[in-house]
PDB file of all heavy atoms in Angstrom:
ATOM      1  N   ASP A1432     111.198 111.196 -80.058  1.00  0.00           N
ATOM      2  CA  ASP A1432     110.110 110.988 -81.014  1.00  0.00           C
ATOM      3  C   ASP A1432     108.863 110.386 -80.423  1.00  0.00           C
ATOM      4  O   ASP A1432     108.045 109.753 -81.105  1.00  0.00           O
ATOM      5  CB  ASP A1432     110.595 110.141 -82.209  1.00  0.00           C
ATOM      6  CG  ASP A1432     111.696 110.821 -83.029  1.00  0.00           C
ATOM      7  OD1 ASP A1432     111.513 111.997 -83.283  1.00  0.00           O
ATOM      8  OD2 ASP A1432     112.694 110.162 -83.305  1.00  0.00           O
ATOM      9  N   VAL A1433     108.663 110.524 -79.064  1.00  0.00           N
ATOM     10  CA  VAL A1433     107.507 109.902 -78.458  1.00  0.00           C
ATOM     11  C   VAL A1433     106.245 110.658 -78.859  1.00  0.00           C
ATOM     12  O   VAL A1433     105.217 110.044 -79.094  1.00  0.00           O
ATOM     13  CB  VAL A1433     107.731 109.893 -76.890  1.00  0.00           C
ATOM     14  CG1 VAL A1433     106.434 109.567 -76.252  1.00  0.00           C
ATOM     15  CG2 VAL A1433     108.801 108.901 -76.614  1.00  0.00           C
ATOM     16  N   ARG A1434     106.341 112.017 -78.885  1.00  0.00           N
ATOM     17  CA  ARG A1434     105.079 112.813 -79.187  1.00  0.00           C
ATOM     18  C   ARG A1434     104.699 112.645 -80.599  1.00  0.00           C
ATOM     19  O   ARG A1434     105.501 112.773 -81.515  1.00  0.00           O
ATOM     20  CB  ARG A1434     105.351 114.226 -78.817  1.00  0.00           C
ATOM     21  CG  ARG A1434     105.414 114.578 -77.344  1.00  0.00           C
ATOM     22  CD  ARG A1434     105.758 116.043 -77.102  1.00  0.00           C
ATOM     23  NE  ARG A1434     104.960 116.920 -77.964  1.00  0.00           N
ATOM     24  CZ  ARG A1434     103.709 117.259 -77.701  1.00  0.00           C
ATOM     25  NH1 ARG A1434     103.157 116.785 -76.623  1.00  0.00           N
ATOM     26  NH2 ARG A1434     103.027 118.036 -78.512  1.00  0.00           N
ATOM     27  N   PRO A1435     103.348 112.419 -80.871  1.00  0.00           N
ATOM     28  CA  PRO A1435     102.876 112.276 -82.198  1.00  0.00           C
ATOM     29  C   PRO A1435     102.941 113.560 -82.950  1.00  0.00           C
ATOM     30  O   PRO A1435     102.996 113.591 -84.152  1.00  0.00           O
ATOM     31  CB  PRO A1435     101.410 111.815 -82.006  1.00  0.00           C
ATOM     32  CG  PRO A1435     101.038 112.269 -80.639  1.00  0.00           C
ATOM     33  CD  PRO A1435     102.291 112.221 -79.807  1.00  0.00           C
ATOM     34  N   MET A1436     102.843 114.737 -82.274  1.00  0.00           N
ATOM     35  CA  MET A1436     102.854 116.021 -82.934  1.00  0.00           C
ATOM     36  C   MET A1436     103.904 116.965 -82.253  1.00  0.00           C
ATOM     37  O   MET A1436     104.161 116.797 -81.041  1.00  0.00           O
ATOM     38  CB  MET A1436     101.531 116.723 -82.930  1.00  0.00           C
ATOM     39  CG  MET A1436     100.459 116.025 -83.737  1.00  0.00           C
ATOM     40  SD  MET A1436      98.972 116.955 -83.832  1.00  0.00           S
ATOM     41  CE  MET A1436      98.444 116.962 -82.123  1.00  0.00           C
ATOM     42  N   GLY A1437     104.539 117.818 -82.989  1.00  0.00           N
ATOM     43  CA  GLY A1437     105.478 118.822 -82.472  1.00  0.00           C
ATOM     44  C   GLY A1437     104.751 120.027 -81.877  1.00  0.00           C
ATOM     45  O   GLY A1437     103.626 120.230 -82.105  1.00  0.00           O
ATOM     46  N   PHE A1438     105.556 120.810 -81.161  1.00  0.00           N
ATOM     47  CA  PHE A1438     104.962 122.094 -80.619  1.00  0.00           C
ATOM     48  C   PHE A1438     105.001 123.127 -81.738  1.00  0.00           C
ATOM     49  O   PHE A1438     105.924 123.253 -82.515  1.00  0.00           O
ATOM     50  CB  PHE A1438     105.776 122.587 -79.486  1.00  0.00           C
ATOM     51  CG  PHE A1438     105.653 121.741 -78.205  1.00  0.00           C
ATOM     52  CD1 PHE A1438     106.725 120.930 -77.766  1.00  0.00           C
ATOM     53  CD2 PHE A1438     104.466 121.855 -77.489  1.00  0.00           C
ATOM     54  CE1 PHE A1438     106.587 120.195 -76.608  1.00  0.00           C
ATOM     55  CE2 PHE A1438     104.372 121.044 -76.327  1.00  0.00           C
ATOM     56  CZ  PHE A1438     105.398 120.282 -75.868  1.00  0.00           C
ATOM     57  N   THR A1439     103.898 123.934 -81.720  1.00  0.00           N
ATOM     58  CA  THR A1439     103.825 125.147 -82.579  1.00  0.00           C
ATOM     59  C   THR A1439     104.270 126.369 -81.835  1.00  0.00           C
ATOM     60  O   THR A1439     104.682 127.375 -82.454  1.00  0.00           O
ATOM     61  CB  THR A1439     102.461 125.327 -83.192  1.00  0.00           C
ATOM     62  OG1 THR A1439     101.533 125.405 -82.156  1.00  0.00           O
ATOM     63  CG2 THR A1439     102.049 124.107 -84.072  1.00  0.00           C
ATOM     64  N   GLU A1440     104.093 126.383 -80.477  1.00  0.00           N
ATOM     65  CA  GLU A1440     104.471 127.513 -79.678  1.00  0.00           C
ATOM     66  C   GLU A1440     105.137 127.086 -78.372  1.00  0.00           C
ATOM     67  O   GLU A1440     104.635 126.128 -77.735  1.00  0.00           O
ATOM     68  CB  GLU A1440     103.154 128.359 -79.284  1.00  0.00           C
ATOM     69  CG  GLU A1440     102.419 128.911 -80.396  1.00  0.00           C
ATOM     70  CD  GLU A1440     101.216 129.723 -79.932  1.00  0.00           C
ATOM     71  OE1 GLU A1440     101.192 130.149 -78.810  1.00  0.00           O
ATOM     72  OE2 GLU A1440     100.243 129.837 -80.816  1.00  0.00           O
ATOM     73  N   ILE A1441     106.225 127.702 -78.059  1.00  0.00           N
ATOM     74  CA  ILE A1441     107.016 127.429 -76.875  1.00  0.00           C
ATOM     75  C   ILE A1441     107.417 128.775 -76.258  1.00  0.00           C
ATOM     76  O   ILE A1441     107.864 129.623 -76.915  1.00  0.00           O
ATOM     77  CB  ILE A1441     108.272 126.563 -77.150  1.00  0.00           C
ATOM     78  CG1 ILE A1441     107.940 125.172 -77.492  1.00  0.00           C
ATOM     79  CG2 ILE A1441     109.241 126.584 -75.875  1.00  0.00           C
ATOM     80  CD1 ILE A1441     107.451 124.309 -76.353  1.00  0.00           C
ATOM     81  N   ALA A1442     107.152 128.915 -74.931  1.00  0.00           N
ATOM     82  CA  ALA A1442     107.556 130.130 -74.232  1.00  0.00           C
ATOM     83  C   ALA A1442     108.105 129.672 -72.835  1.00  0.00           C
ATOM     84  O   ALA A1442     107.397 128.956 -72.066  1.00  0.00           O
ATOM     85  CB  ALA A1442     106.389 131.073 -74.061  1.00  0.00           C
ATOM     86  N   VAL A1443     109.250 130.156 -72.505  1.00  0.00           N
ATOM     87  CA  VAL A1443     109.892 129.844 -71.199  1.00  0.00           C
ATOM     88  C   VAL A1443     110.414 131.123 -70.592  1.00  0.00           C
ATOM     89  O   VAL A1443     111.607 131.263 -70.316  1.00  0.00           O
ATOM     90  CB  VAL A1443     110.995 128.750 -71.340  1.00  0.00           C
ATOM     91  CG1 VAL A1443     110.352 127.392 -71.453  1.00  0.00           C
ATOM     92  CG2 VAL A1443     111.919 129.044 -72.509  1.00  0.00           C
ATOM     93  N   PRO A1444     109.563 132.116 -70.298  1.00  0.00           N
ATOM     94  CA  PRO A1444     110.087 133.381 -69.750  1.00  0.00           C
ATOM     95  C   PRO A1444     110.450 133.283 -68.291  1.00  0.00           C
ATOM     96  O   PRO A1444     110.006 132.397 -67.497  1.00  0.00           O
ATOM     97  CB  PRO A1444     108.853 134.262 -69.864  1.00  0.00           C
ATOM     98  CG  PRO A1444     107.699 133.331 -69.835  1.00  0.00           C
ATOM     99  CD  PRO A1444     108.124 132.089 -70.494  1.00  0.00           C
TER     100      PRO A1444
END
Side-chain angles (χ1 to χ4, degrees):
D1432 295 315
V1433 167
R1434 287 177 47 78
M1436 293 187 295
F1438 289 108
T1439 58
E1440 299 180 22
I1441 289 286
V1443 284

